[in-house]
Amino acid sequence: MSVLVWVEHDGATVKDATLSTVTAAGKLGDVTLLVAGEGVSGAAEAAAKIAGVTKVLVADDAALAHALAENVAPLIVTLMADHDAFLVPSTTNGKNIAPRVAALLDVMQISDILSVESADTFTRPIYAGNAIATVQSKDAKKVISVRGTAFEKAATEGGSATIEPVSGAADAGVSTYVGSEIAKSERPELTSAKIIVSGGRALQNGENFHALIEPLADKLGAGVGASRAAVDAGYVPNDYQVGQTGKIVAPEVYVAIGISGAIQHLAGMKDSKTIIAINKDEDAPIFQVADIGLVGDLFKIVPELTEKL
Amino acid sequence: MKVLVPVKRVLDYNVKPRVKADGTGIDLANVKMSMNPFDEIAVEEAIRLKEKGVVTEIVVVSIGEPKSQDTLRTALAMGADRAILVTSDTKVEPLGVAKLLKAIADEEQPGLVILGKQAIDDDNNQTGQMLAALTGWGQGTFASKVEVEGDFVTVTREVDGGAETEKLKLPAIVTTDLRLNEPRYASLPNIMKAKSKPLATKTAADFGVDVSPRLTTLKVVEPAKRSAGIKVADVDELVGKLKAMGVAK
């Protein structure tokens, strides 16, 4: 089977979620990567070094900048004439593009797969991960998004794929990129952080969040996350949100502070290796999944913990 | 401008889903069903656009079992003007839903279709993007802000690193994220009034659309359970554990 993977990149490097997608693609067959964008030669070279990749297709065109789905999808549909499956990482960009490709190919997409059982059968979470469905696709071609935490990352070195330019990109003329506000942080990205410190509603306001959660995270070299409640209340921006509809994370250690543990939040972090919970309510559901729990007042505990580490 | 808002009837988000003993799916017998929360946000956004004078009519659509009528009535009580129910005996997948919505969009000619970004039952996150593909329209997914100006809609989107803004030519597709707005509750008088608002009932066959499923669910199981661990008494003990794990020095 020939598998095409859409590469998420920043022009120069390949994002981590793509590496997990390459691993999933490798379970299906020969892996070809598509690096689309404007000024992407650096990313294409990085992609060619990824272990297990046969070929890298490079589409360099102004119409493909900013990964606008309206422009990227038709190009992928053309390329799919030579491929049997199309895979994307389940990132916001991947989720934006893949269903547009699927519908143009008249294929029912399989979202967020956790495993490849066979060439047409996959497992995926439903109901915020409260159930795992095994689904079989009857479509001749497959369109799949891949949950990054469910697959090992392919090695970024060791591959020697051929690089081949592709043309045919066009501006569909229905959408334009205006701008973005991408938070710059020295801290590790949530989806690739080894340790995450997350705060919830119990922090009461943004000042407390910054004053308590961030120093602890910095002490541990951790990424910073938040529950939906903390994001909705405006303590931190949306890109901090861990949960069913936010980011799905599975770090070595997840520290949940003042987070009660609604099923929607647990859906985003319950595959973490070790979960540590700090909460004043000893009956909080978070303690049902935590490996280590500490019941008490976070306003006393967190500064003491940061101090003693 | 007319707005089309598709809504889905799903297991209420406060109810813990239970996997059926025979592994065929989730037990939905005698449990509370509600409008998908993201769809409530979509209905609310349409109402706000109407209140601003941008939108003249809000048409809500639901595809599913006859009981989806309740979900449509909720949307009408919130402030939608009329409803279309497309009944189906079998489960319709996002691709089939998108095809039906395309047929309805051809008839209704909306300027904007606002959908929830995903339904909280199947967590697919596909229908809006698929409808955009079939119509050839622009797609503003995961919206946290929607501004209609002239022949364009500017959508601020929640993306992995923060926020991104795109300008789309109308007609266009918007899918809602959590922080676009806070949906209103329907008042009792509006709930009464909604009972007399028009609701048309159709079937998938009426639109000549083949909605037979492409995916077969072979089984549904509970995920591996995490067991509760230990409780530590104080910060010193926690620090000791972290050091033993190599997380702290």
Side-chain angles (χ1 to χ4, degrees):
Chain A
M1 188 188 280
S2 170
V3 186
L4 182 68
V5 173
W6 175 79
V7 173
E8 179 135 42
H9 61 82
D10 59 7
T13 60
V14 173
K15 298 282 185 76
D16 274 1
T18 306
L19 302 174
S20 311
T21 309
V22 168
T23 302
K27 293 180 189 290
L28 288 168
D30 260 2
V31 183
T32 298
L33 304 185
L34 170 64
V35 178
E38 189 184 18
V40 294
S41 53
E45 277 163 33
K49 288 186 196 143
I50 298 172
V53 175
T54 313
K55 199 196 291 182
V56 176
L57 303 175
V58 184
D60 207 322
D61 193 299
L64 302 174
H66 309 296
L68 289 175
E70 298 84 349
N71 299 349
V72 176
L75 174 71
I76 294 166
V77 169
T78 312
L79 297 174
M80 281 304 289
D82 301 322
H83 300 279
D84 308 300
F86 174 62
L87 270 64
V88 301
S90 282
T91 56
T92 45
N93 274 324
K95 289 175 188 172
N96 190 38
I97 292 169
R100 189 156 183 127
V101 172
L104 292 173
L105 291 171
D106 194 26
V107 166
M108 174 57 204
Q109 178 182 315
I110 306 146
S111 290
D112 234 10
I113 62 162
L114 301 171
S115 71
V116 175
E117 302 292 307
S118 73
D120 64 3
T121 306
F122 309 87
T123 63
R124 59 175 305 265
I126 55 173
Y127 286 87
N130 280 288
I132 308 297
T134 304
V135 295
Q136 185 172 35
S137 165
K138 294 188 194 74
D139 286 314
K141 290 185 193 282
K142 314 285 183 265
V143 175
I144 294 167
S145 66
V146 177
R147 177 166 287 197
T149 55
F151 294 87
E152 295 287 322
K153 294 184 181 82
T156 52
E157 296 290 338
S160 55
T162 55
I163 298 180
E164 202 176 288
V166 292
S167 55
D171 186 347
V174 291
S175 58
T176 49
Y177 170 84
V178 177
S180 59
E181 286 174 45
I182 302 299
K184 287 215 177 6
S185 169
E186 299 296 310
R187 297 190 185 95
E189 246 186 82
L190 270 182
T191 47
S192 49
K194 291 208 159 43
I195 305 174
I196 292 174
V197 179
S198 263
R201 197 204 312 260
L203 284 146
Q204 295 173 351
N205 57 48
E207 291 77 55
N208 289 340
F209 195 102
H210 296 300
L212 292 168
I213 299 297
E214 290 174 2
L216 175 59
D218 292 343
K219 223 29 182 300
L220 293 168
V224 177
S227 70
R228 178 190 169 184
V231 176
D232 281 359
Y235 305 173
V236 286
N238 65 274
D239 49 295
Y240 282 55
Q241 188 183 325
V242 171
Q244 180 185 16
T245 67
K247 291 197 172 75
I248 309 290
V249 300
E252 296 287 316
V253 180
Y254 188 90
V255 188
I257 298 173
I259 293 176
S260 63
I263 57 171
Q264 291 83 2
H265 186 75
L266 299 182
M269 45 63 82
K270 68 181 174 187
D271 292 328
S272 305
K273 202 157 167 230
T274 301
I275 296 172
I276 298 171
I278 299 170
N279 203 299
K280 68 169 187 240
D281 174 10
E282 62 179 323
D283 296 324
I286 191 78
F287 288 122
Q288 289 165 17
V289 300
D291 300 285
I292 304 172
L294 178 51
V295 178
D297 179 5
L298 70 89
F299 292 97
K300 286 202 190 98
I301 290 170
V302 177
E304 188 187 341
L305 179 59
T306 308
E307 170 73 33
K308 286 183 173 164
L309 283 172
Chain B
M1 179 172 79
K2 190 190 284 184
V3 175
L4 197 64
V5 184
V7 294
K8 185 177 186 185
R9 181 175 184 266
V10 298
L11 180 66
D12 186 86
Y13 80 101
N14 280 314
V15 178
K16 183 164 168 51
R18 306 229 173 262
V19 174
K20 282 195 224 169
D22 63 0
T24 56
I26 298 295
D27 192 355
L28 297 178
N30 304 314
V31 290
K32 188 180 176 200
M33 303 292 282
S34 300
M35 191 190 302
N36 178 40
F38 288 97
D39 302 348
E40 280 187 328
I41 296 171
V43 173
E44 175 67 31
E45 194 63 17
I47 297 167
R48 290 187 188 191
L49 288 171
K50 194 179 174 193
E51 286 167 350
K52 279 185 203 159
V54 175
V55 162
T56 48
E57 190 186 22
I58 302 166
V59 182
V60 285
V61 186
S62 195
I63 293 155
E65 54 179 337
K67 276 187 180 163
S68 298
Q69 198 178 130
D70 301 346
T71 311
L72 289 169
R73 291 287 174 206
T74 304
L76 292 171
M78 286 173 73
D81 296 296
R82 80 187 151 84
I84 302 169
L85 172 65
V86 183
T87 57
S88 168
D89 300 332
T90 54
K91 190 169 154 174
V92 186
E93 294 169 342
L95 182 64
V97 171
K99 288 179 180 179
L100 286 168
L101 293 175
K102 161 75 166 68
I104 293 170
D106 286 345
E107 277 180 17
E108 297 283 344
Q109 300 284 318
L112 202 56
V113 184
I114 311 179
L115 309 87
K117 76 166 179 179
Q118 76 190 65
I120 60 163
D121 49 4
D122 288 334
D123 284 332
N124 273 313
N125 196 332
Q126 297 175 2
T127 306
Q129 296 90 314
M130 286 182 160
L131 177 61
L134 299 178
T135 52
W137 298 348
Q139 61 188 55
T141 49
F142 328 140
S144 60
K145 196 174 172 192
V146 174
E147 281 178 301
V148 178
E149 239 180 305
D151 296 330
F152 295 89
V153 58
T154 303
V155 180
T156 303
R157 309 173 51 229
E158 293 198 358
V159 295
D160 287 331
E164 182 178 295
T165 305
E166 282 174 25
K167 192 172 175 182
L168 311 173
K169 204 164 143 186
L170 294 175
I173 309 289
V174 169
T175 76
T176 62
D177 216 316
L178 290 170
R179 282 159 288 271
L180 181 57
N181 60 50
E182 268 188 51
R184 69 194 65 191
Y185 290 103
S187 66
L188 192 58
N190 284 344
I191 291 170
M192 300 310 290
K193 229 192 289 175
K195 289 183 179 163
S196 56
K197 286 186 178 176
L199 190 153
T201 304
K202 304 199 171 190
T203 64
D206 292 342
F207 295 97
V209 172
D210 176 14
V211 293
S212 39
R214 307 290 185 85
L215 301 183
T216 312
T217 299
L218 302 179
K219 66 173 179 200
V220 174
V221 297
E222 280 190 26
K225 275 218 167 54
R226 279 192 89 101
S227 44
I230 53 150
K231 289 234 169 77
V232 290
D234 53 29
V235 171
D236 289 328
E237 202 184 336
L238 179 56
V239 171
K241 293 275 177 204
L242 289 170
K243 283 185 178 162
M245 284 161 57
V247 171
K249 284 177 210 109

